[in-house]
């Protein structure tokens, strides 16, 4: 009976699992500790807020620009944790490079600094409901942020299909250009 098949015992199976799950000495493992990972995958809860609120609270990250008497401050706020990234013309490193702290070049350079900080922290999309006058300082600020790789529109939250829904082929990590532009 050379063709006789003998199923493995549970001890043999446990030994095999242990061999496969124990990390090898030369292997490189990485643990993702990014608290924004679920938001990047579009599966984190996006709060809806109240339906009477304008402009609403349906965002993970939101851009806010505050123009005071002397300085301009831009912040990226998380819906739960408040401001997480900020840049201001009152910071010494930025103020030292500017001629005035509220002119057009200040807005453009502040946008570059904010976009670089967003890129470094892994935030590439945020909601922006700032209405700017075409050709104005805020308009140039928003265009500079977009030119430096930060989208000012968040993708929609991924909705897990139910068994009774039609078969869906999309994946939460595939963000299509049509989703961002709409």
């Amino acid at each position: 009976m050379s063709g006789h098949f003998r199923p493995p015992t549970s001890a043999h199976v446990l030994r095999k699992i242990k061999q496969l799950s124990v990390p090898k000495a030369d292997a490189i493992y990485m643990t993702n500790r990014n608290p924004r990972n679920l938001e990047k995958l579009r599966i984190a809860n996006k709060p809806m807020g109240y339906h009477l609120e304008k402009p609403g609270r349906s965002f993970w990250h939101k851009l806010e620009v505050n123009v005071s008497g002397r300085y301009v401050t831009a912040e990226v706020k998380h819906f739960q944790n408040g401001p997480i990234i900020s840049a201001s013309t009152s910071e010494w490193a930025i103020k030292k490079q500017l001629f005035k702290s509220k002119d057009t070049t200040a807005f453009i350079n502040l946008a570059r600094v904010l976009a670089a900080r967003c890129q470094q922290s892994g935030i590439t999309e945020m909601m922006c409901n700032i209405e700017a006058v075409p050709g104005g300082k805020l308009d140039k600020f928003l265009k500079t942020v977009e030119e430096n790789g930060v989208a000012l529109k968040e993708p929609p939250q991924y909705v897990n299909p139910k068994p009774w829904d039609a078969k869906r082929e999309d994946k939460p990590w595939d963000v299509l250009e049509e989703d961002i532009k709409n």
Side-chain angles (χ1 to χ4, degrees), residues 83-104:
I84 51 174
I85 300 170
S86 66
S88 175
T89 55
S90 67
E91 295 176 23
W92 178 250
I94 298 173
K95 181 169 41 172
K96 187 176 180 182
Q97 303 297 322
L98 298 174
F99 183 69
K100 287 186 177 180
S101 60
K102 278 183 60 176
D103 61 349
T104 306

Side-chain angles (χ1 to χ4, degrees), residues 46-78:
K46 189 182 265 193
M48 290 297 138
Y50 297 105
H51 67 281
L52 294 176
E53 279 185 310
K54 291 292 178 190
R57 277 192 287 175
S58 181
F59 63 88
W60 288 303
H61 302 100
K62 181 180 179 182
L63 175 66
E64 291 187 358
V65 179
N66 182 19
V67 182
S68 67
R70 287 182 72 182
Y71 301 112
V72 181
T73 304
E75 291 180 333
V76 176
K77 291 190 174 185
H78 189 261

Side-chain angles (χ1 to χ4, degrees), residues 22 33 39 59 67 78 120 142 144 149 162:
V22 172
R33 294 192 177 119
E39 295 161 4
F59 63 88
V67 182
H78 189 261
Q120 288 173 349
L142 297 175
T144 306
K162 307 289 185 236

